[in-house]
Amino acid sequence: MDPELEAFVPLFPHVDLNDPVGARASLAALSASAPAPDLTGIDVEDRMAGDVPVRVYRPHEAQGGIVWVHGGGFVMGDLDTEHPWTARLAAAAGAVVVSVDYRRAPENRFPAALDDAYAALVWTTSHAEDLGVAPDRIAVGGHSAGAGLAAAVALRARDEQGPPIRHQLLNQPQLDDRQETWSARTFTDTPWMTRDKIATAWRHYLPGAPASPYAAPARAEDLSDLPPAYIATAEFDPLRDEGITYALRLLQAGVPVELHQWPGTFHGSQAIPTAEVSQRQVTELVAALRRALAA
């Protein structure tokens, strides 16, 4: 493990997804401890995408936009916990960011979160002129469970002939409820993300029936005609191999993919901003979005 990251592992708060309320409070406290983002040159506004709360970040002279879906195992996270990242993404990428406050499990199981994320995409596309972006320069993206939801939004938009999606920005995506990959079976107690946490997240999210591809995109049999993707994975992450496998399957289906596997990292470790590898991760993620929206 990268020594700069390893030094922070003992400082992580305990998060128990079996206690959703407590887990949300822990994540909120961790997010609140982060430095306030620099909002110079960015207009921030809370809006409603139909029935879905969103927070819109509009940098001056934006060249495109992204519907951003926060992580948190389908259980944790909201507009405020994601605020430090979404503000930074908008500023660094020069993109309008529409951050989605989707309904969380277990109170709201699949497909509630997907419905909300998809509604945010439809709203963003229909309000593109108001937001100052071209309707054909809108991407979807997210971290972890949010990246899995973004991948599901892309599948649904393809299948329903929905809004065009320029790009998928999938950081450490949670895609497969089966937990059968080598990394899922081997990295059972890695920092921040463990096998038990992932199993609990899926148990909260899924309503009991076998997962559909819209719930777990790794189950999709056909990945053709999807938007180009940037997929990033962390070395010591149970989710690592499902992200890599999804990237390979997209490539085999004819979808352009940029895959970056970060050595020495673990799930969510890019949130440790002082580590050199974290800085490179964030720089690459932002650069991938800039390229996709400018192409």
Side-chain angles (χ1 to χ4, degrees):
M1 185 177 295
D2 186 287
E4 287 189 287
L5 299 177
E6 192 169 14
F8 280 85
V9 172
L11 305 178
F12 286 163
H14 175 70
V15 174
D16 182 4
L17 289 184
N18 290 298
D19 174 17
V21 174
R24 291 165 189 159
S26 294
L27 181 61
L30 185 64
S31 177
S33 68
D38 183 2
L39 298 176
T40 303
I42 302 175
D43 298 324
V44 182
E45 182 182 12
D46 287 344
R47 302 277 296 270
M48 293 297 295
D51 295 327
V52 182
V54 296
R55 183 168 294 168
V56 180
Y57 301 78
R58 296 181 59 185
H60 303 163
E61 300 181 4
Q63 61 180 350
I66 183 169
V67 176
W68 184 262
V69 194
H70 68 77
F74 309 109
V75 173
M76 304 179 291
D78 54 30
L79 297 180
D80 292 333
T81 60
E82 201 70 358
H83 178 65
W85 165 252
T86 42
R88 182 179 185 182
L89 180 63
V96 172
V97 176
V98 178
S99 183
V100 186
D101 197 12
Y102 58 84
R103 287 170 289 171
R104 298 171 299 189
E107 297 89 345
N108 301 280
R109 298 190 173 208
F110 173 82
L114 174 61
D115 287 345
D116 291 351
Y118 190 77
L121 170 67
V122 172
W123 179 86
T124 301
T125 304
S126 64
H127 289 74
E129 183 176 354
D130 172 49
L131 296 172
V133 300
D136 63 347
R137 290 180 183 267
I138 296 171
V140 296
H143 292 307
S144 192
L149 286 165
V153 165
L155 284 167
R156 182 169 166 181
R158 178 200 65 182
D159 295 345
E160 297 182 4
Q161 290 77 54
I165 296 174
R166 184 63 164 251
H167 192 77
Q168 303 176 76
L169 194 69
L170 310 180
N171 188 51
Q172 301 169 5
Q174 184 173 348
L175 299 161
D176 196 342
D177 62 301
R178 294 166 291 191
Q179 293 185 270
E180 295 174 350
T181 66
W182 185 91
S183 62
R185 290 182 286 105
T186 303
F187 299 136
T188 58
D189 194 27
T190 39
W192 188 251
M193 185 58 72
T194 67
R195 182 178 178 86
D196 286 346
K197 278 185 184 178
I198 296 170
T200 302
W202 283 114
R203 187 168 63 248
H204 284 322
Y205 183 54
L206 298 176
S212 77
Y214 293 156
R219 288 181 175 267
E221 294 183 3
D222 179 11
L223 298 183
S224 62
D225 300 319
L226 287 169
Y230 174 91
I231 298 178
T233 57
E235 181 176 0
F236 301 110
D237 182 358
L239 303 179
R240 184 194 69 190
D241 291 354
E242 62 199 65
I244 293 172
T245 300
Y246 199 73
L248 289 173
R249 291 187 58 219
L250 285 168
L251 283 168
Q252 291 162 357
V255 177
V257 176
E258 183 172 352
L259 171 65
H260 201 134
Q261 156 57 37
W262 292 95
T265 61
F266 54 85
H267 192 84
S269 63
Q270 77 282 341
I272 301 172
T274 55
E276 190 268 342
V277 68
S278 297
Q279 295 166 13
R280 288 194 290 121
Q281 284 178 277
V282 172
T283 297
E284 286 288 336
L285 200 68
V286 168
L289 180 58
R290 291 187 70 98
R291 288 192 300 270
L293 297 180

